[in-house]
Amino acid sequence: MTTALPAARRGGVRAAEKSTDRAARPGVLWVVPAALFFMVFAGLPLLLVAVLSFTSWNGLGTPRFNGLDNWSRLLSDSSVWQSLRISAILTVLCWAVQTPLALLLGVWAAGRQRNRAVLSSIFFLPLLMSTAAIAITWLTLLDPNFGLAAKWGHYIGFPDGNIIGSPRGALGCVVVVVAWQFVPFHTLLYQAATRQIPQSLYDAATVDGAGRVRQFRHITLPQLRNTIVTSSVLMLVGSLTYFETVLILTGGGPGSATNILPQHMYMTAFRDYQMGYASVIALALVALGTALSLLIVRFSGFAKMRSTLEGI
Amino acid sequence: MGETPLSRRTFLSAAAITGLSAPLLSACGTSGPAGAKGGGKTVQAWVLVDEAQNRVQNVAIDDFNKGSSGKVKLLPISSDGAVYADKLRVSMGSPNPPDLLFNWGAGSIRNYVQAGGLVDLSSQLNADTTWKNSFLPSVLNAGQIDGKYYGIPMRGMQPVVLFYNKTLFAEQGQKPPATYDDLLKLVDFFKGKKIQPFALGGLDQWPELMWLEYLVERAGGPTVFQNIAAGRPGAWRDPAIATALSQIQDLVRRGAFGTNFNSVNYVNDGAGLLFAKGKAAMHLMGTWEVSNQVERHRKFAETDLGFAPFPSVADGKGDPNAVVGNPTNYFSVSTKSVDKDAAIAFLKKEMAAPAYVDALIKSGDVPAVTGIDAKLSASPQPEFARYVYQLVQKAPSFTLSWDQALMPQFKTPLLANLQKVFSGKQTPQQFVTALESVK
């Protein structure tokens, strides 16, 4: 052991020296655990879903192949297109509400003052709660006769407290609850990223006479660009798979006003037991999610991975 | 700076681990019971998790196991009906389904019957008339699929009843409605008194369905829905459906349910509280409303809670004594059971046995068993228990809740479109067209 260790260390040093030109990237072996995990729990199921999408199966017995029936049904199914529209609206609204909130809160929480540390640990509390608990608590608040909706409804245009029971109100409720739950997570991202910005930049800006707002616009925001992209990708792609809040809060209602595409997929699979058709919707979601993240990465220049600290 | 990121990282990874392992753990929970089988002749009985009910079921099981070589073992799966149905579905599709399975009859097991997964109990029941006659016929028949019996009643009956606040009615000098015209008059009367005539948990959607079920039953009788359930072409176009839907729209316009009923939930006590506080005069709901009110608003349940049948409708073809709701829950036997004979013997011996019936009555249920009038005084709500028992006894038909009776793919469109009718966003004709297009 005592002799083997230095030898191994020497070997390691030599290997590291050899690969300095390749920036000491770890070998293929390192990818194996993650790749295996991904294949078993994501790749394989995805493949099976692709096979299922060409079958008719109600979850019992053997799936029966029915060619392109499910796919042609997708194209002519108006409820899917309506769900897609609702999903798009909800995604944009969620992004537009969460990003500014999380950005401002995160930058604020990055300060080292003690009161900020205390307050931000309170802000992060929703992150610890289960989605179901959050949704059920909000349901109680939204009761139009006894909840907060009864008292405050008329301030926001719902005099009878009928917020979650009206199509627009229900969509708004979902946006608010999702934001309440996930803003803390994105705040955390921004807080961490803001703390990585070198103090010297701010010092220089102060010397040049830049105020707080200008420092935020010309230093903080550009320095956070990669984080904004990351956070946005998580939000946008996440909104294509996330539906627990909708399931518990509105069940897709009233009518089908909040029936987003993931909820539609879930209902098709586990309420209607049309596994084949649900698989088609699932694949459509996969395609959408991939396209969306590729688009964002492409147009934001994120793929080039340029450091925001060049020249410092 | 040093310690904050570290603690945050541990916190994050802890969150990630719990987030990741939760689904894995629950997955183990699903496969556990099925995998635990094998060896010996122990018959697994899947039921809902319900402390009081599980205790009652164990009374029957203990009694059976004492005198039999084949044993029955109770496996409570989940307290959530939808979760239970999902797990049952997965298990029924596997080579190791439960031997005895708790279910809601009709739509909840039709797929299993079609896949040959359930034992046809008709010959057993017909051969043993004492056994067959020990259950109320309307309830036993409500569990039929294509004229054959696949389930034995194993719990209390849950018809939908018109609950009313009897103290409030007495104060205002009113009587529960005997006819639909009375009901309309009461709506106008209570609206004038600034009291919401009916509590309605529209957010959960299914409470709205009860109105459609009763109004269709009164307008057209049980055959209207039987035709729909059998998938006969044009069944949704029966005039009784359009009549009932227009009546619903008329009730909504008159303010029978207030204006914000689509924001009111039933499950989390939204509608129940409205009713218990005297802010709503009546509530159309299943019999479980009584145990809900006893649990949540005991004083209201004891002094104010009155009950009446759904009123008759003039010119309606339906029998005014007919009821809708959940006839009962059933036990069915799986064809892949390790010991079918033991499972059937258990149902034969125990489901109408005095000890089991007594235990059910004590837990507040009204079993679908014949000749138990005298025993019902042991119920925690004897007056209500006797009322329900007589209501079902004289009912010529007991229509199962539509969302459970229909094939699964109807459930979402049925509830969503009905909610649109209640919110005035859809006409009866659009509702019919939408449901006819469900494949």
Side-chain angles (χ1 to χ4, degrees):
Chain A
M1 190 69 192
T2 37
T3 51
L5 201 67
R9 202 173 276 160
R10 261 201 308 277
V13 168
R14 219 175 300 141
E17 270 167 7
K18 226 184 282 172
S19 60
T20 34
D21 52 327
R22 289 195 288 125
R25 289 259 168 88
V28 183
L29 209 65
W30 292 51
V31 190
V32 169
L36 261 182
F37 195 84
F38 183 79
M39 277 319 295
V40 172
F41 290 105
L44 190 67
L46 192 63
L47 204 70
L48 290 178
V49 164
V51 174
L52 268 187
S53 73
F54 297 103
T55 67
S56 159
W57 189 43
N58 65 9
L60 301 167
T62 22
R64 189 172 45 79
F65 279 93
N66 65 354
L68 290 171
D69 284 7
N70 293 328
W71 289 90
S72 55
R73 185 177 159 193
L74 179 76
L75 296 178
S76 60
D77 187 349
S78 62
S79 66
V80 164
W81 294 104
Q82 199 208 350
S83 290
L84 184 63
R85 202 174 58 89
I86 298 168
S87 275
I89 295 171
L90 194 72
T91 305
V92 171
L93 281 178
C94 278
W95 181 83
V97 168
Q98 290 183 56
T99 303
L101 271 177
L103 183 63
L104 291 173
L105 269 174
V107 171
W108 179 84
R112 311 255 178 231
Q113 294 87 331
R114 184 166 292 167
N115 67 330
R116 294 192 182 185
V118 173
L119 281 175
S120 37
S121 59
I122 294 174
F123 290 157
F124 294 147
L125 275 181
L127 208 54
L128 296 171
M129 295 182 196
S130 86
T131 307
I134 291 174
I136 289 173
T137 311
W138 275 90
L139 261 187
T140 314
L141 292 177
L142 287 166
D143 187 289
N145 300 302
F146 304 102
L148 285 183
K151 288 200 185 75
W152 294 353
H154 62 274
Y155 293 119
I156 50 171
F158 297 94
D160 55 355
N162 191 23
I163 305 176
I164 199 166
S166 66
R168 269 157 197 268
L171 204 62
C173 288
V174 174
V175 172
V176 169
V177 175
V178 167
W180 190 82
Q181 187 179 3
F182 287 109
V183 160
F185 171 72
H186 295 282
T187 304
L188 208 57
L189 291 183
Y190 286 119
Q191 184 201 31
T194 308
R195 287 194 172 168
Q196 300 296 322
I197 303 175
Q199 187 59 37
S200 55
L201 290 178
Y202 292 103
D203 294 342
T206 314
V207 170
D208 290 345
R212 280 191 162 201
V213 178
R214 287 193 69 170
Q215 286 186 7
F216 177 76
R217 268 189 53 199
H218 296 289
I219 301 174
T220 315
L221 268 189
Q223 289 285 320
L224 288 180
R225 200 186 63 187
N226 288 346
T227 313
I228 294 174
V229 175
T230 308
S231 155
S232 301
V233 170
L234 284 176
M235 269 182 219
L236 297 180
V237 178
S239 71
L240 288 176
T241 57
Y242 180 83
F243 73 100
E244 295 96 311
T245 303
V246 169
L247 182 70
I248 301 173
L249 212 57
T250 66
S256 42
T258 54
N259 194 22
I260 54 174
L261 204 50
Q263 162 90 3
H264 193 64
M265 171 191 75
Y266 175 81
M267 288 309 224
T268 309
F270 295 104
R271 285 292 167 274
D272 307 353
Y273 296 114
Q274 300 185 339
M275 298 293 175
Y277 188 46
S279 302
V280 170
I281 303 178
L283 287 176
L285 277 170
V286 170
L288 262 175
T290 313
L292 200 60
S293 54
L294 283 178
L295 270 178
I296 299 168
V297 164
R298 176 152 199 130
F299 286 106
S300 61
F302 188 68
K304 293 170 208 140
M305 282 286 185
R306 263 179 308 153
S307 167
T308 43
L309 294 179
E310 266 169 56
I312 294 174
Chain B
M1 172 98 191
E3 79 280 0
T4 32
L6 185 73
S7 61
R8 206 166 282 133
R9 201 182 308 139
T10 34
F11 144 68
L12 268 183
S13 58
I17 288 163
T18 41
L20 273 176
S21 55
L24 291 176
L25 282 177
S26 60
C28 290
T30 344
S31 60
K37 216 185 333 197
K41 290 256 173 149
T42 299
V43 167
Q44 314 261 4
W46 276 32
V47 290
L48 273 188
V49 173
D50 177 326
E51 215 179 307
Q53 281 297 317
N54 295 155
R55 215 177 306 130
V56 172
Q57 286 145 4
N58 271 321
V59 168
I61 288 174
D62 290 344
D63 182 63
F64 179 76
N65 287 351
K66 259 185 272 167
S68 161
S69 57
K71 306 288 181 202
V72 178
K73 187 169 179 284
L74 196 70
L75 274 180
I77 300 298
S78 165
S79 60
D80 182 328
V83 174
Y84 174 85
D86 284 350
K87 293 194 172 180
L88 183 63
R89 187 93 183 178
V90 173
S91 184
M92 289 300 285
S94 81
N96 276 329
D99 305 272
L100 277 165
L101 45 127
F102 166 101
N103 61 69
W104 292 264
S108 72
I109 55 167
R110 184 168 274 128
N111 279 162
Y112 306 146
V113 170
Q114 285 164 348
L118 296 182
V119 177
D120 176 7
L121 299 166
S122 309
S123 56
Q124 304 268 354
L125 273 166
N126 291 330
D128 188 346
T129 44
T130 341
W131 187 36
K132 188 178 179 183
N133 292 338
S134 60
F135 302 106
L136 292 179
S138 67
V139 176
L140 191 62
N141 293 345
Q144 278 185 328
I145 289 183
D146 304 329
K148 291 178 188 144
Y149 297 102
Y150 291 93
I152 301 300
M154 51 79 71
R155 256 206 78 172
M157 306 178 287
Q158 302 178 323
V160 173
V161 173
L162 184 63
F163 292 99
Y164 67 99
N165 186 330
K166 58 183 178 199
T167 315
L168 186 67
F169 268 64
E171 277 168 16
Q172 305 287 348
Q174 299 297 318
K175 278 196 312 236
T179 66
Y180 189 70
D181 291 332
D182 291 350
L183 185 144
L184 292 181
K185 275 184 209 131
L186 281 172
V187 166
D188 294 339
F189 174 81
F190 280 113
K191 218 188 140 198
K193 297 272 173 197
K194 301 259 180 257
I195 297 170
Q196 190 175 311
F198 287 96
L200 176 64
L203 184 64
D204 291 323
Q205 297 182 334
W206 53 262
E208 292 177 344
L209 185 59
M210 295 175 168
W211 282 92
L212 182 65
E213 286 163 1
Y214 256 127
L215 287 169
V216 167
E217 167 61 50
R218 292 289 184 266
T223 47
V224 178
F225 182 67
Q226 278 160 13
N227 289 337
I228 292 172
R232 302 232 161 80
W236 286 104
R237 257 175 283 149
D238 192 294
I241 301 279
T243 308
L245 288 168
S246 326
Q247 282 171 319
I248 286 173
Q249 289 193 313
D250 177 45
L251 284 170
V252 172
R253 267 194 300 268
R254 283 170 185 259
F257 313 107
T259 55
N260 55 17
F261 55 87
N262 271 333
S263 290
V264 179
N265 65 69
Y266 178 77
V267 177
N268 294 311
D269 201 31
L273 186 62
L274 199 64
F275 185 38
K277 291 256 181 196
K279 294 194 171 188
M282 294 171 274
H283 194 185
L284 186 68
M285 192 35 70
T287 52
W288 56 85
E289 172 73 355
V290 172
S291 39
N292 261 352
Q293 293 290 0
V294 167
E295 194 182 310
R296 287 165 164 159
H297 315 287
R298 179 169 283 275
K299 205 180 144 291
F300 170 76
E302 278 164 4
T303 58
D304 307 331
L305 190 60
F307 30 84
F310 193 83
S312 65
V313 176
D315 315 326
K317 281 187 222 150
D319 188 314
N321 288 325
V323 290
V324 307
N326 298 349
T328 187
N329 295 122
Y330 302 87
F331 259 139
S332 297
V333 180
S334 139
T335 45
K336 289 182 196 155
S337 165
V338 290
D339 192 348
K340 256 180 275 184
D341 297 334
I344 295 171
F346 168 73
L347 297 181
K348 250 186 195 174
K349 184 171 177 214
E350 300 295 342
M351 287 302 101
Y356 184 60
V357 168
D358 286 345
L360 275 176
I361 291 173
K362 245 185 227 134
S363 79
D365 270 22
V366 183
V369 174
T370 43
I372 56 165
D373 304 69
K375 289 183 169 196
L376 289 169
S377 43
S379 166
Q381 287 91 33
E383 194 195 345
F384 183 63
R386 269 192 291 269
Y387 173 77
V388 169
Y389 191 66
Q390 279 153 17
L391 186 75
V392 179
Q393 237 179 351
K394 69 177 178 200
S397 70
F398 195 149
T399 301
L400 173 63
S401 304
W402 294 9
D403 51 345
Q404 286 172 34
L406 288 173
M407 293 292 271
Q409 66 267 30
F410 280 93
K411 185 169 177 173
T412 314
L414 173 65
L415 294 176
N417 284 298
L418 182 60
Q419 198 174 30
K420 286 182 196 165
V421 173
F422 266 88
S423 351
K425 300 232 179 325
Q426 204 174 62
T427 63
Q429 283 68 34
Q430 286 170 323
F431 174 91
V432 170
T433 316
L435 280 153
E436 275 193 319
S437 70
V438 175
K439 282 181 269 206

